[in-house]
Amino acid sequence: MVIVGAGMAGVQTAVSLREQGWGGRITLLGAEPHEPYDRPPLSKAVLLGGEAEGVAFDVDFGAIDVELLLGREATALNAADREVTTGAGTVPYDLLVIASGAEPVTLPGGGGYTLRTLDDAAALRPVLDEKRDVVVVGAGWIGAEFATAARQAGCAVTVVEAADRPLAGVMPGEIGDRMRGWYAEAGVELRTGVAVAAVEPGEVLLDDGTRLAAGAVVVGIGARPATGWLAGSGVALGPDRAVLADDRLRTSVPDVYAVGDCASFPSARYGRRLLVHHWDNAVQGPRVAAANLMGGDECYDPVPYFWSEQFGRFVQYAGHHPAADTMLQRGDPDGPAWSVCWLREGVLVALLAVGRPRDLAQGRKLIERGSRLDTGLAADPAVPLKTAVR
């Protein structure tokens, strides 16, 4: 068994295989030289001075008999000969799991820092330590999290977003507009509806001609599956470059599976293919893949879930709301704690919770069950969601 990628998805696949009784050899290939580590703390604790060693996974690879090959980036897959090519030679496999993750999208002209790896976080630490003026490109989840950390460190922060509001690609306008105020409260200048034309020494040029002084530029405009190494392999990729896994997480090539950020999967729950770039997907998918690698027949159709800590708020989201036809507000969106439910023909399909973890916990279970809600009860924030079921 060879697993390409030593992030959460790859490590969890190796651990799940052993937990489920796989007795054969397991080789885990990691592109980075570091011991495998968790990524969420990179935009939080590590940036603010936390020890890098603290993000390493609590896994004794020797004890579970997993061969860990670090600094071994996969460069090609020869499916006919069942070999993965790396910079240090080829690695043969009988069964292969693709868990190569995603890579940050960069600006067309280049320039700026990204925040995806431990080395990225280490490179950004001096920016915060020296309290430089920072321009963040992108008002998505990672942009907001970095802006939060930079303000905590005492940096002056300007966030530039090409869309007309924060989180434009993932939240409807009425929600994104509410989040705009969070930036102002934190002392962050937010410029929307304007794109970056160029990153130049000491400044950022916007497409409206404005020049912003910048001691550092951090780019957070998304990520794409890291699948370039699969070119010519026969593994089918989608227009978004994601591996097209089926509902058992199998790829188009026999005995090759795919999990985590690099793979999309068909969701019967939502009636479309999903590409989920979040931690929970990298935990759940490997358990299903491991079971199927060992001869099982488990379907993968989770309720997507993620969280974000930004501007003093704990934000959680479960489900997939583009399929919804009704949006239901719970609580005052100008207050510290509120939620939004999305329903499809009365059935809860997604939920956003800001400072209301109980809503998220109950809502996630209701989404999994396909529960239909009484909209009158569900709109009352004093009513527990679990008691608002029809």
Side-chain angles (χ1 to χ4, degrees):
M1 184 79 65
V2 172
I3 303 166
V4 176
M8 172 59 80
V11 169
Q12 190 62 44
T13 300
V15 171
S16 294
L17 283 164
R18 287 297 187 227
E19 288 178 344
Q20 296 182 37
W22 175 263
R25 182 177 179 181
I26 299 176
T27 300
L28 184 62
L29 302 180
E32 298 181 54
H34 310 290
E35 287 290 314
Y37 59 87
D38 205 8
R39 295 188 188 279
L42 298 185
S43 60
K44 305 172 183 71
V46 175
L47 277 177
L48 293 172
E51 292 299 322
E53 293 78 8
V55 301
F57 291 121
D58 186 18
V59 177
D60 187 335
F61 294 98
I64 62 172
D65 193 21
V66 171
E67 181 184 24
L68 189 60
L69 300 181
L70 300 176
R72 299 284 288 271
E73 182 176 4
T75 57
L77 168 61
N78 182 341
D81 293 336
R82 295 185 179 240
E83 290 180 338
V84 175
T85 302
T86 76
T90 59
V91 179
Y93 70 85
D94 295 309
L95 295 168
L96 177 69
V97 179
I98 299 169
S100 47
E103 55 198 10
V105 176
T106 56
L107 294 170
Y113 295 89
T114 56
L115 181 53
R116 183 76 186 178
T117 68
L118 192 56
D119 289 340
D120 292 339
L124 280 164
R125 282 272 287 271
V127 171
L128 273 60
D129 291 344
E130 297 164 12
K131 296 179 172 51
R132 301 184 204 170
D133 292 348
V134 177
V135 173
V136 179
V137 183
W141 300 114
I142 194 67
E145 290 184 2
F146 181 81
T148 298
R151 285 299 296 145
Q152 284 182 260
C155 299
V157 181
T158 301
V159 176
V160 177
E161 171 56 55
D164 61 354
R165 62 185 185 276
L167 295 172
V170 292
M171 291 292 159
E174 50 266 60
I175 303 302
D177 286 340
R178 294 293 183 181
M179 294 174 170
R180 181 189 297 274
W182 300 358
Y183 289 77
E185 288 176 19
V188 175
E189 182 182 0
L190 175 63
R191 291 175 175 250
T192 57
V194 61
V196 171
V199 175
E200 300 175 352
E203 61 182 12
V204 173
L205 173 63
L206 306 183
D207 64 3
D208 65 358
T210 303
R211 290 183 178 273
L212 302 175
V217 178
V218 179
V219 180
I221 55 176
R224 62 168 62 95
T227 55
W229 65 282
L230 295 170
S233 67
V235 173
L237 305 180
D240 54 7
R241 294 175 38 174
V243 176
L244 296 175
D246 69 7
D247 61 358
R248 267 62 180 174
L249 299 178
R250 298 170 297 208
T251 74
S252 58
V253 172
D255 297 328
V256 179
Y257 287 66
V259 295
D261 291 0
C262 67
S264 66
F265 56 90
S267 171
R269 186 189 307 275
Y270 294 106
R272 61 170 295 175
R273 182 170 282 275
L274 299 180
L275 175 61
V276 181
H277 282 181
H278 296 295
W279 187 90
D280 191 66
N281 178 55
V283 173
Q284 292 198 64
R287 295 170 184 159
V288 172
N292 292 336
L293 282 158
M294 295 186 60
D297 187 32
E298 292 190 17
C299 176
Y300 188 59
D301 194 4
V303 173
Y305 165 75
F306 69 89
W307 78 94
S308 175
E309 296 174 87
Q310 51 184 270
F311 308 121
R313 293 167 172 86
F314 185 45
V315 183
Q316 296 172 284
Y317 177 88
H320 181 69
H321 68 261
D325 51 26
T326 302
M327 189 177 82
L328 193 68
Q329 188 84 45
R330 280 172 60 82
D332 180 6
D334 291 324
W338 49 275
S339 299
V340 178
C341 298
W342 285 273
L343 293 82
R344 179 74 174 183
E345 298 178 353
V347 175
L348 184 65
V349 295
L351 184 138
L352 172 74
V354 178
R356 290 181 66 98
R358 183 174 297 177
D359 273 8
L360 191 286
Q362 294 180 11
R364 189 177 184 183
K365 292 177 181 177
L366 297 178
I367 296 169
E368 289 173 348
R369 297 169 189 159
S371 298
R372 189 177 302 276
L373 298 187
D374 180 308
T375 55
L377 290 174
D380 185 347
V383 174
L385 268 179
K386 65 182 180 181
T387 65
V389 176
R390 281 188 180 177

